[in-house]
Amino acid sequence: APKRSLAGRHALVTAGPTHEPIDPVRYIANRSSGRQGYAIAAALAARGARVTLVSGPTALTAPPGVDRIDVETAREMLAACEAALPADIAVLTAAVADWRAAHEAGRKLKKRPGETPEPLPLALNPDILAHLSAPGPNRPALVVGFAAETDDLLRNAAAKLDRKGCDWIVANDVADGNGIMGGDHNEVHLLTRDGTETWPRLPKNDVANCLADRIAARFAP
Ligand code: C5P
């Protein structure tokens, strides 16, 4: 078992997709399984951290000792994260839906056979990572974001580090057909203000343990 090097620290982790309702029976979602985030929550808890896992809808069970809060939408996820502060560490792995339906219909939308469907107006969701990274008394000492990209991975990830104001970015290539999104393995780069490390293709549990060890080192006395 790893040393309890994060004892006394509070870590906030987000995981999974969000579901953004269109009407009572339909929603916008994505292919995130939540596995990487759940593995990170487990790895931080194994190192002694108190872990709050704010999770979108997934098929996973909470790792032992982790306090899980279930949410559906991006706006609920942001509210749950803010309610969980203060935290020393925030690792935001959730694949938050960028957009939601601008108007949630109170009744099931009806199809009209033979008629062209109406366009679906979208609204931009809040960016939880940018919110938690913003300077303020409740800003966690270490905020880690993820960047899942299909193109220009490192350039986009570096731009994200600057734009969102987080401390580290874990960048992964989710190109179609590489099996990472929803799969068991991950191949990541860790971008910090000091540079970029490339890790080998590893099971998501091992990526989580490597990241948790890096986080523990960052908080070592
Ligand atoms: O902008 P993009 O979605 O690529 O950024 C990914 C990172 O930002 C991830 O850490 C994700 O959890 C976080 N994010 C967020 N809220 C959003 C969109 C992304 O926290 N609305």
Side-chain angles (χ1 to χ4, degrees), residues 24-217:
V25 300
R26 303 185 179 96
Y27 56 83
I28 299 170
N30 60 65
R31 295 187 190 283
S32 169
S33 66
R35 280 186 212 169
Q36 186 63 83
Y38 276 57
I40 290 167
L44 294 170
R47 285 157 184 76
R50 177 167 79 82
V51 178
T52 304
L53 173 62
V54 178
S55 176
T58 71
L60 305 173
T61 36
V66 166
D67 181 17
R68 168 168 146 190
I69 299 171
D70 289 309
V71 298
E72 286 203 359
T73 68
R75 289 186 293 178
E76 289 167 8
M77 187 172 275
L78 175 59
C81 287
E82 285 182 332
L85 297 177
D88 304 287
I89 301 152
V91 185
L92 302 194
T93 69
V96 182
D98 292 310
W99 305 287
R100 64 177 182 274
H103 313 285
E104 180 185 347
R107 295 157 181 270
K108 185 181 172 194
L109 301 176
K110 299 300 283 180
K111 82 177 158 234
R112 310 214 181 282
E115 276 183 31
T116 307
E118 292 293 316
L120 181 69
L122 300 176
L124 196 57
N125 267 332
D127 190 314
I128 300 164
L129 179 57
H131 272 271
L132 294 193
S133 298
N138 261 344
R139 194 217 190 260
L142 179 66
V143 181
V144 184
F146 272 67
E149 304 283 346
T150 56
D151 299 288
D152 259 335
L153 177 63
L154 290 178
R155 206 162 53 86
N156 279 317
K160 203 156 287 183
L161 189 62
D162 281 343
R163 191 171 70 241
K164 303 220 186 197
C166 56
D167 303 298
W168 300 354
I169 286 268
V170 179
N172 63 340
D173 187 339
V174 291
D176 193 25
N178 75 359
I180 285 184
M181 200 139 186
D184 286 322
H185 286 69
N186 209 348
E187 195 176 321
V188 307
H189 310 265
L190 178 67
L191 284 79
T192 71
R193 304 278 164 194
D194 303 325
T196 301
E197 292 172 23
T198 298
W199 298 355
R201 188 180 182 93
L202 294 168
K204 286 182 178 175
N205 278 331
D206 294 0
V207 171
N209 282 315
C210 287
L211 183 64
D213 284 337
R214 293 300 308 268
I215 292 171

